[in-house]
Every structure is written in structure tokens, then in C-alpha cells.
């Protein structure tokens, strides 16, 4: 090959590599930017007086005098609203029955929509569910509820080819000509005075416990559960993975049995994660009975089995990459095989083993299917360390799935789902960053 042609090919490969890195970076930015933008909304948002009241009553935080002053101002702004409703109800009671029947359903729906926006009306008994005790705690959700109060939904099925079409009809039209008609204009113009939105940085989203199935509070239990599961999986998988790699590289002879073992390890790495979950339920809980039902321990053991093939392969490659001269020099000085492995080979292979460890830990932290049957619950309190042997736990990955698909009010608390996603991604990135730093330091120390 001519020199000129070889240079052209070298440049082509270099440009191809640079373009590939640029495309990967762009894809990563496209993937992470929406997560960051939407997830940030769980921490920084316009909080209403209902949020400040909830924080004061449920967590005991905030300036009580200041919040009471805001509540009084809010009550004054809401008073004309409830007065108009009370006067209209009185008119209906004193009026004809036909008029009562005409407006009964519309008035009931309007009061329900107002409860969704502002919370219980003055003098109403305290609701059992916490979600019914407060109005909208976020201004963005309050705007949605405001539209629900101003408009009634109807469905048009007149066109069989299009199916049902949602139509928004102004509630003001239902009460046209009555004393309640001015309520809607007043509500639209004074919503801010009723809810007093204020920009808030809610960093305690990470440290508060969840209240009423994630309607209020934070995600502390989910973060702790994820850390317990990931750390527990590494505790079981790392020693077994490294020992298996040492056996396969330093002690096992190349034979059909060794080849069969490697084939099994590679096959195990390709098994769907849901199969590990079913296996963990059948083996660890139903057969070995490590716990009476779901527990962090059973989930960690299941995750350990799932990441074990990755750890074995990564450790094996790291040990194989250690120069043979290291081993030969140690043996020539009279060191035994065990001492050579412990004092020469393993330290030299540590950066590679560490890389495999962090990749596996990130996978364990983000897996959902294996913990569905063995460890995860949708709602729970933060666990103490000794409770991991017998208690299940919420986890970031499982709760993201739960809030997106199974939660009864997924649209109401979409911001919590986005916050969970951002926290999980940040957790995995921090683990990887820590591994990169540790690997760089160890490599530098070994070279020195």
C-alpha cells in the first residue's frame, strides 16, 4: 500500500471515530436534556399556599406566623366565591323544584371541581384521605384544575368514524342568568390571590418521606431502597465473581468442562431479567425461605445472580490483561501462587475489576423486573439497616414504572415520576464518576 493511501485511510478512520463520538454525545444530550428539564420541576416549582400549609402541618417546617397571615389573605380572596355558592343554594331551596333539579348536577360538579382546586370548603368535615385535605400545592396543576372548574367536559359521539370527541363547555353557560354566573369571572381573575403561588426550591424532595402514595412529600425511601439493593447485590456478587475469575484464569486447565462453564456464564448474561425475578421468587423466597415474603435480602441475592456473569467476565479480562512478566518476576523471587495472586495480579487488575463492578452496580440500581417479585413495593417507609433481612422496600426504578402505569392518579403526580427518573440517572452517573476517579487514582499509583 502506498504511503499516500495509508495516510488517507488513517485520516478517514480518525474522522469516523470523531464523528461517532460526536453523534454519541449528541444522542446523550438529546436523551438527558428532557430528563433534566422535566425532573428539575420536582425540585423547583411555583408552590401555592396549600403547599406551604401542607409542609407546616405534616413536616413541621416553615414560619407559622407568616403562613397563617398568607392563609388569612387567601381566605379573604376565597370568601366571595363561597358566599355566591351559599346564596345560590339558598335561592334554589326557596325556589321551584324544577329549578333545583335543573341546576343540582351542575352545582354538584362545580363544587367538586372547586374542591379539587382549593381544597375543602370552609366548615366542611376533615377528609380521611390526605390528598382531599389540601387544594393544589403546585401552580402548574392549579391551572389545570382551574380549567376543570371553568369548563365541563362533554363527549361528542355523533361521528361514528372518529369515536368520542371531547368538548369543553363553559360552566358559566350552565348558570347563565342566575346569581352564580359572576362566580366564574371572579374565579378566573382571582385564582392567584386565592392560592398565592411563589417560586420554591424544594430540595427536601430527596430527604422527605412520601405521604399518601406520593401525592405529597419526597422520595427518601426509594433512594435508600435502591442503595440497599445495589450495595447488597455487590456484597454477594463481587467476591464470587472475582474468585470465579481467578479460578478460570489461574487454576482451571483449558478443557471441555472449562469451555462449558464459560458457555454457561455467557448464556446466563443473556437471560432476560424478568426470568431472574421469577427464579429469585421460586428459589430464595419459596425454597430457601430467606424471608417470609418480599425482602431487600431476597432482591439483593437475585440481583447478585443477574450481574454475576458481567463481573466474572470483566474480572477475567482484567486479570488476563496483567503482563505475564509481573507473575514471572514474583514467582522467580520464591513467592507462592496464592501470594502472587493476592499481592501482584489482583492489585494490577484492580482498575479493570473496578470498572466491571461499577457497570454492574449501575445495572443493579436501575433494574426493575428482578425486584418486582422479590423486593419492591410501591409504598413504604425508609428501612433501617436491620430491616433489610425481612422487609420489602420501595425503589427508584420500580416506583418510576409504578407511577407511569399503575398509579391511580398518574397525571396528578407526573412531576414525582420525572423527579424519580432524574434522581436515578444522577445516582448512576455519580457511581460511574466515582469509579472513573478511583480507577484513575489506582492506575496512577500503580504506574508510580
Amino acid at each position: 500500500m502506498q504511503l499516500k493511501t495509508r495516510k488517507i485511510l488513517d485520516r478517514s478512520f480518525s474522522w469516523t471515530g470523531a464523528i461517532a463520538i460526536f453523534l454519541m454525545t449528541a444522542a446523550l444530550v438529546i436523551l438527558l436534556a428532557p430528563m433534566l428539564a422535566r425532573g428539575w420541576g420536582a425540585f423547583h416549582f411555583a408552590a401555592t399556599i396549600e403547599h406551604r400549609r401542607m409542609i407546616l402541618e405534616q413536616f413541621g417546617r416553615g414560619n407559622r406566623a407568616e403562613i397563617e397571615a398568607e392563609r388569612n389573605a387567601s381566605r379573604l380572596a376565597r370568601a366571595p366565591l363561597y358566599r355566591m355558592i351559599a346564596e345560590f343554594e339558598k335561592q334554589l331551596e326557596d325556589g321551584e323544584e324544577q329549578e333545583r333539579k335543573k341546576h343540582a348536577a351542575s352545582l354538584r360538579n362545580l363544587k367538586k371541581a372547586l374542591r379539587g382546586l382549593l381544597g375543602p370548603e370552609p366548615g366542611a368535615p376533615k377528609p380521611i384521605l390526605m390528598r382531599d385535605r389540601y387544594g393544589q400545592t403546585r401552580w402548574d396543576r392549579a391551572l389545570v384544575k382551574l380549567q376543570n372548574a371553568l369548563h365541563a367536559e362533554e363527549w361528542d359521539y355523533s361521528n361514528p368514524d372518529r369515536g368520542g370527541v371531547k368538548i369543553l363547555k363553559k360552566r358559566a353557560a350552565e348558570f347563565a342568568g342566575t346569581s352564580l354566573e359572576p362566580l366564574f369571572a371572579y374565579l378566573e381573575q382571582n385564582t392567584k390571590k386565592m392560592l398565592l403561588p411563589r417560586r420554591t426550591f424544594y430540595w427536601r424532595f430527596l430527604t422527605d418521606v412520601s405521604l399518601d402514595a406520593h401525592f405529597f412529600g419526597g422520595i427518601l425511601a426509594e433512594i435508600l431502597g435502591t442503595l440497599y439493593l445495589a450495595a447488597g447485590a455487590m456484597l454477594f456478587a463481587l467476591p464470587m465473581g472475582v474468585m470465579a475469575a481467578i479460578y478460570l484464569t489461574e487454576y482451571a486447565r483449558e478443557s471441555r468442562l472449562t469451555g462449558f462453564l464459560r458457555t454457561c456464564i455467557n448464556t446466563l448474561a443473556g437471560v432476560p431479567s424478568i426470568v431472574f425475578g421469577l427464579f429469585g421468587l421460586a428459589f430464595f423466597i419459596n425454597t430457601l425461605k430467606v424471608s417470609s415474603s418480599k425482602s431487600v435480602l431476597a432482591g439483593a441475592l437475585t440481583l447478585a445472580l443477574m450481574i454475576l456473569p458481567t463481573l466474572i467476565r470483566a474480572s477475567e479480562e482484567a486479570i488476563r490483561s496483567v503482563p505475564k512478566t509481573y507473575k514471572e518476576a514474583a514467582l522467580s523471587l520464591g513467592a507462592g501462587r496464592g501470594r502472587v495472586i493476592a499481592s501482584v495480579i489482583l492489585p494490577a487488575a484492580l482498575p479493570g475489576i473496578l470498572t466491571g463492578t461499577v457497570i454492574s452496580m449501575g445495572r443493579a440500581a436501575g433494574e426493575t423486573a428482578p425486584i418486582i417479585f422479590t423486593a419492591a413495593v410501591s409504598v413504604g417507609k425508609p428501612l433501617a439497616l436491620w430491616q433489610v433481612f425481612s422487609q420489602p422496600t420501595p425503589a427508584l426504578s420500580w416506583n418510576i414504572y409504578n407511577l407511569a402505569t399503575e398509579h391511580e392518579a398518574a397525571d396528578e403526580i407526573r412531576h414525582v415520576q420525572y423527579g424519580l427518573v432524574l434522581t436515578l440517572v444522577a445516582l448512576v452517573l455519580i457511581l460511574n464518576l466515582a469509579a472513573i476517579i478511583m480507577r484513575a487514582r489506582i492506575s496512577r499509583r500503580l504506574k508510580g
Side-chain angles (χ1 to χ4, degrees), residues 11 47 49 53 73 94 104 106 117 119 178 226 292 325 341 353 364:
R11 288 175 183 170
I49 178 60
R53 183 163 74 94
D94 298 339
S106 301
L117 174 64
T178 69
T226 302
S292 58
T325 51
I341 291 172
I353 296 174

mmCIF file of all heavy atoms in Angstrom, residues 11 47 49 53 73 94 104 106 117 119 178 226 292 325 341 353 364:
data_model
loop_
_atom_site.group_PDB
_atom_site.id
_atom_site.type_symbol
_atom_site.label_atom_id
_atom_site.label_comp_id
_atom_site.label_asym_id
_atom_site.label_seq_id
_atom_site.Cartn_x
_atom_site.Cartn_y
_atom_site.Cartn_z
ATOM 1 N N ARG A 11 -6.537 9.023 8.193
ATOM 2 C CA ARG A 11 -7.370 10.211 8.447
ATOM 3 C C ARG A 11 -8.857 9.861 8.406
ATOM 4 O O ARG A 11 -9.660 10.379 9.185
ATOM 5 C CB ARG A 11 -7.065 11.289 7.417
ATOM 6 C CG ARG A 11 -5.701 11.942 7.627
ATOM 7 C CD ARG A 11 -5.386 12.906 6.516
ATOM 8 N NE ARG A 11 -4.056 13.493 6.674
ATOM 9 C CZ ARG A 11 -3.441 14.223 5.752
ATOM 10 N NH1 ARG A 11 -4.052 14.429 4.585
ATOM 11 N NH2 ARG A 11 -2.240 14.715 5.972
ATOM 12 N N ALA A 47 -44.868 27.033 44.204
ATOM 13 C CA ALA A 47 -45.658 26.376 45.255
ATOM 14 C C ALA A 47 -46.749 27.325 45.742
ATOM 15 O O ALA A 47 -46.521 28.524 45.905
ATOM 16 C CB ALA A 47 -44.757 25.985 46.416
ATOM 17 N N ILE A 49 -49.990 28.383 48.525
ATOM 18 C CA ILE A 49 -50.156 28.429 49.972
ATOM 19 C C ILE A 49 -50.538 27.045 50.510
ATOM 20 O O ILE A 49 -50.215 26.691 51.653
ATOM 21 C CB ILE A 49 -51.226 29.489 50.353
ATOM 22 C CG1 ILE A 49 -51.447 29.520 51.865
ATOM 23 C CG2 ILE A 49 -52.522 29.227 49.647
ATOM 24 C CD1 ILE A 49 -50.235 29.863 52.674
ATOM 25 N N ARG A 53 -48.776 25.204 53.603
ATOM 26 C CA ARG A 53 -49.599 24.713 54.715
ATOM 27 C C ARG A 53 -49.351 23.215 54.942
ATOM 28 O O ARG A 53 -49.226 22.761 56.087
ATOM 29 C CB ARG A 53 -51.086 24.950 54.390
ATOM 30 C CG ARG A 53 -52.029 24.546 55.504
ATOM 31 C CD ARG A 53 -53.387 25.180 55.279
ATOM 32 N NE ARG A 53 -54.132 24.541 54.205
ATOM 33 C CZ ARG A 53 -55.030 23.565 54.388
ATOM 34 N NH1 ARG A 53 -55.264 23.121 55.600
ATOM 35 N NH2 ARG A 53 -55.670 23.059 53.372
ATOM 36 N N ALA A 73 -55.131 35.893 54.143
ATOM 37 C CA ALA A 73 -55.301 36.625 52.879
ATOM 38 C C ALA A 73 -55.982 35.744 51.833
ATOM 39 O O ALA A 73 -56.846 36.210 51.072
ATOM 40 C CB ALA A 73 -53.936 37.094 52.378
ATOM 41 N N ASP A 94 -85.320 27.909 48.217
ATOM 42 C CA ASP A 94 -86.548 28.698 48.309
ATOM 43 C C ASP A 94 -87.334 28.722 46.999
ATOM 44 O O ASP A 94 -88.493 29.158 46.985
ATOM 45 C CB ASP A 94 -86.218 30.145 48.709
ATOM 46 C CG ASP A 94 -85.565 30.210 50.076
ATOM 47 O OD1 ASP A 94 -85.737 29.241 50.836
ATOM 48 O OD2 ASP A 94 -84.872 31.202 50.369
ATOM 49 N N ALA A 104 -79.025 21.045 39.967
ATOM 50 C CA ALA A 104 -78.441 20.216 41.030
ATOM 51 C C ALA A 104 -77.137 19.553 40.584
ATOM 52 O O ALA A 104 -76.096 19.659 41.259
ATOM 53 C CB ALA A 104 -79.449 19.165 41.482
ATOM 54 N N SER A 106 -75.201 20.218 37.945
ATOM 55 C CA SER A 106 -74.173 21.205 37.558
ATOM 56 C C SER A 106 -73.511 21.815 38.786
ATOM 57 O O SER A 106 -72.287 21.991 38.827
ATOM 58 C CB SER A 106 -74.799 22.306 36.702
ATOM 59 O OG SER A 106 -75.387 21.763 35.550
ATOM 60 N N LEU A 117 -59.498 22.211 43.250
ATOM 61 C CA LEU A 117 -58.604 23.360 43.085
ATOM 62 C C LEU A 117 -58.194 23.964 44.424
ATOM 63 O O LEU A 117 -56.997 24.193 44.675
ATOM 64 C CB LEU A 117 -59.298 24.423 42.231
ATOM 65 C CG LEU A 117 -58.567 25.756 42.068
ATOM 66 C CD1 LEU A 117 -57.256 25.554 41.318
ATOM 67 C CD2 LEU A 117 -59.451 26.765 41.342
ATOM 68 N N GLY A 119 -59.328 22.865 47.721
ATOM 69 C CA GLY A 119 -59.448 22.060 48.927
ATOM 70 C C GLY A 119 -60.860 22.140 49.488
ATOM 71 O O GLY A 119 -61.766 22.702 48.864
ATOM 72 N N THR A 178 -78.339 33.394 36.291
ATOM 73 C CA THR A 178 -78.500 33.158 37.725
ATOM 74 C C THR A 178 -77.505 34.024 38.499
ATOM 75 O O THR A 178 -76.601 34.637 37.919
ATOM 76 C CB THR A 178 -78.260 31.677 38.069
ATOM 77 O OG1 THR A 178 -76.861 31.385 37.881
ATOM 78 C CG2 THR A 178 -79.074 30.764 37.177
ATOM 79 N N THR A 226 -33.000 1.714 46.862
ATOM 80 C CA THR A 226 -32.116 1.467 45.709
ATOM 81 C C THR A 226 -30.672 1.245 46.167
ATOM 82 O O THR A 226 -29.985 0.341 45.655
ATOM 83 C CB THR A 226 -32.195 2.661 44.743
ATOM 84 O OG1 THR A 226 -33.551 2.829 44.333
ATOM 85 C CG2 THR A 226 -31.333 2.423 43.521
ATOM 86 N N SER A 292 -39.907 -14.371 54.775
ATOM 87 C CA SER A 292 -41.262 -14.924 54.656
ATOM 88 C C SER A 292 -41.973 -14.427 53.394
ATOM 89 O O SER A 292 -42.870 -15.091 52.886
ATOM 90 C CB SER A 292 -42.067 -14.557 55.902
ATOM 91 O OG SER A 292 -42.096 -13.147 56.053
ATOM 92 N N THR A 325 4.984 -10.881 32.771
ATOM 93 C CA THR A 325 6.271 -10.630 33.420
ATOM 94 C C THR A 325 6.111 -10.337 34.917
ATOM 95 O O THR A 325 6.979 -10.653 35.715
ATOM 96 C CB THR A 325 6.970 -9.441 32.746
ATOM 97 O OG1 THR A 325 6.054 -8.337 32.670
ATOM 98 C CG2 THR A 325 7.431 -9.805 31.346
ATOM 99 N N ILE A 341 -1.034 -14.044 43.389
ATOM 100 C CA ILE A 341 -2.373 -13.571 43.011
ATOM 101 C C ILE A 341 -2.801 -12.407 43.901
ATOM 102 O O ILE A 341 -3.314 -11.383 43.420
ATOM 103 C CB ILE A 341 -3.384 -14.733 43.102
ATOM 104 C CG1 ILE A 341 -3.094 -15.765 42.014
ATOM 105 C CG2 ILE A 341 -4.814 -14.205 42.972
ATOM 106 C CD1 ILE A 341 -3.898 -17.033 42.142
ATOM 107 N N ILE A 353 -11.234 -4.552 37.249
ATOM 108 C CA ILE A 353 -12.277 -5.127 38.111
ATOM 109 C C ILE A 353 -13.213 -4.027 38.598
ATOM 110 O O ILE A 353 -14.431 -4.211 38.657
ATOM 111 C CB ILE A 353 -11.623 -5.864 39.303
ATOM 112 C CG1 ILE A 353 -10.805 -7.056 38.799
ATOM 113 C CG2 ILE A 353 -12.675 -6.325 40.296
ATOM 114 C CD1 ILE A 353 -10.008 -7.767 39.878
ATOM 115 N N ALA A 364 -27.561 -2.935 38.515
ATOM 116 C CA ALA A 364 -28.364 -3.390 39.658
ATOM 117 C C ALA A 364 -29.264 -2.275 40.169
ATOM 118 O O ALA A 364 -30.414 -2.512 40.558
ATOM 119 C CB ALA A 364 -27.444 -3.886 40.768
#
